[in-house]
Amino acid sequence: MELAKIEKLLDAYFEGNTTLAEEAMLRDYFAQDEIAPQVAMYQPLFVGLVAAKEEVSDRELKLPKNQFKIKNWWYAAAASVVLAIGVAGFVFSEPKLTQEEQEALAAFEKTKEAMQFMSKNFNKGAEELTYISTFTETKNKILK
Amino acid sequence: MKQKEFIATVLPFKDKLYRLAKRILVSGDEAEDAIQEVYLKLWKGRNKIGNYRNPEAFAVTMTKNYCLDRLKSKQASNLKIVHNNFQTSENVEKKIEANDGVQLVFKIMETLPEQQRIVLQLRDVEQFEFSEIAKMLDSNETAVRVNLSRARKTVREQLIKKHNYGIS
């Protein structure tokens, strides 16, 4: 680009009258190596403006995890429902015994009955024995 | 607005906001803190973002206001701005190293009044249209041009001064 045009653009630039396209032309001109010595002092400005745009933020943004909180709440609700079902299932399923357990229970009842019957008969025998103690008492009275 | 959608909307201009924040606050660390705050605010108002025609311009305005507030509260509490991390980004550092003049330009930009710094950043670095900048700054195009012209002329004066004395 010829010097005259660059100088004209520069004048407009410092007055704040250039368009974005014209400013891009200036940046391009000063980005190359063949710069007229008359305007060389402006080179750092345009190189600097380009360099300034390359700077980037290198810190991660931290946003509050709102949605995860809601999810956690749902997890908690789901977990307690599962727990409730588990407990309820255990409580209500207890009377329902398996075939084998029912048989065992019946056998247990029968055995208990038999045992009680036996112990009753034993006690009958024991009742008769009280007469023996009466006999001992009377004997003691007489013999002293 | 879901988080994914939100990020897709606002993340593309994160670096732009960062550069603007850094132009105003000078320190890279403070600029990072500032945009974190700005994004939190955007996130809180995410359901309204969809209503704005231009979320980017809205975010730029927010960043500018937030940074100017920070600057004010800092000046009020008499704290000095630290800029030990003048160059954070390595690629920029390389470019600057190659040219002392560029370093000088950054230094000159730091000395400009805030409003001029902001206008220069938005126009000459981020290349927004005058109409967009006017909206972002709640100003008009003429005022933006005047501020910009002043900023550019100050940089020119300083450059010519250094050029005449000879910097190298």
Side-chain angles (χ1 to χ4, degrees), chain A residues 86-99 101-102 105:
Chain A
V87 168
F90 181 71
V91 168
F92 290 119
S93 72
E94 207 179 22
K96 280 185 189 168
L97 296 170
T98 61
Q99 187 73 26
E101 278 171 332
Q102 275 173 338
L105 203 65

Side-chain angles (χ1 to χ4, degrees), chain B residues 57 61 64 119 122 128-145:
Chain B
T61 307
K64 180 212 70 168
V119 173
L122 291 179
F128 283 110
E129 289 286 355
F130 285 119
S131 56
E132 289 175 293
I133 298 173
K135 258 183 224 159
M136 287 168 182
L137 303 184
D138 198 19
S139 175
N140 58 66
E141 287 188 37
T142 318
V144 171
R145 276 177 201 271

Side-chain angles (χ1 to χ4, degrees), chain A residues 9-24 26-27 30-31 37-68 70, chain B residues 1-3 6-7 11 14-16 18-19 22-23 29 32-33 35-36 39-40 43 46 86 88-89 91-92 95 99 101-102 105-106 109 120 123-130 145 148-149 152-153 155-156 159-160 163:
Chain A
L9 277 181
L10 278 171
D11 282 342
Y13 171 80
F14 287 112
E15 292 304 323
N17 289 330
T18 39
T19 63
L20 283 177
E22 288 167 335
E23 286 161 21
L26 282 172
R27 279 194 299 272
F30 285 104
Q38 293 95 315
V39 294
M41 60 193 153
Y42 299 125
Q43 193 199 10
L45 171 58
F46 291 97
V47 172
L49 292 175
V50 173
K53 206 186 178 179
E54 280 170 28
E55 206 163 351
V56 292
S57 150
D58 51 9
R59 207 188 287 175
E60 284 271 316
L61 281 180
K62 285 177 214 118
L63 292 177
K65 307 273 183 214
N66 273 3
Q67 280 155 341
F68 289 112
I70 290 166
Chain B
M1 194 182 262
K2 293 261 168 65
Q3 192 162 16
F6 172 77
I7 286 176
L11 215 58
K14 181 188 168 208
D15 290 332
K16 257 183 214 179
Y18 168 73
R19 289 191 290 260
K22 200 183 162 196
R23 187 66 59 221
D29 258 353
E32 296 276 16
D33 288 346
I35 56 164
Q36 171 67 44
Y39 270 101
L40 271 182
W43 171 249
R46 63 190 174 282
F86 182 64
T88 43
S89 186
N91 48 12
V92 176
K95 280 243 166 121
N99 198 332
V102 174
V105 167
F106 281 115
M109 277 161 86
L120 195 68
R123 175 65 179 195
D124 280 358
V125 178
E126 308 298 351
Q127 292 148 37
F128 283 110
E129 289 286 355
F130 285 119
R145 276 177 201 271
L148 183 64
S149 171
R152 286 169 173 174
K153 279 177 179 168
V155 177
R156 177 175 66 175
L159 276 178
I160 290 174
H163 184 76

Side-chain angles (χ1 to χ4, degrees), chain A residues 119-139:
Chain A
S119 84
K120 241 185 224 166
N121 283 348
F122 266 126
N123 284 343
K124 248 187 210 165
E127 264 168 40
E128 303 294 323
L129 284 178
T130 51
Y131 295 118
I132 292 177
S133 65
T134 319
F135 174 76
T136 317
E137 263 171 46
T138 328
K139 181 202 89 183

Side-chain angles (χ1 to χ4, degrees), chain B residues 153-167:
Chain B
K153 279 177 179 168
T154 307
V155 177
R156 177 175 66 175
E157 267 168 43
Q158 298 288 325
L159 276 178
I160 290 174
K161 223 192 240 172
K162 290 285 173 182
H163 184 76
N164 289 345
Y165 286 131
I167 32 168

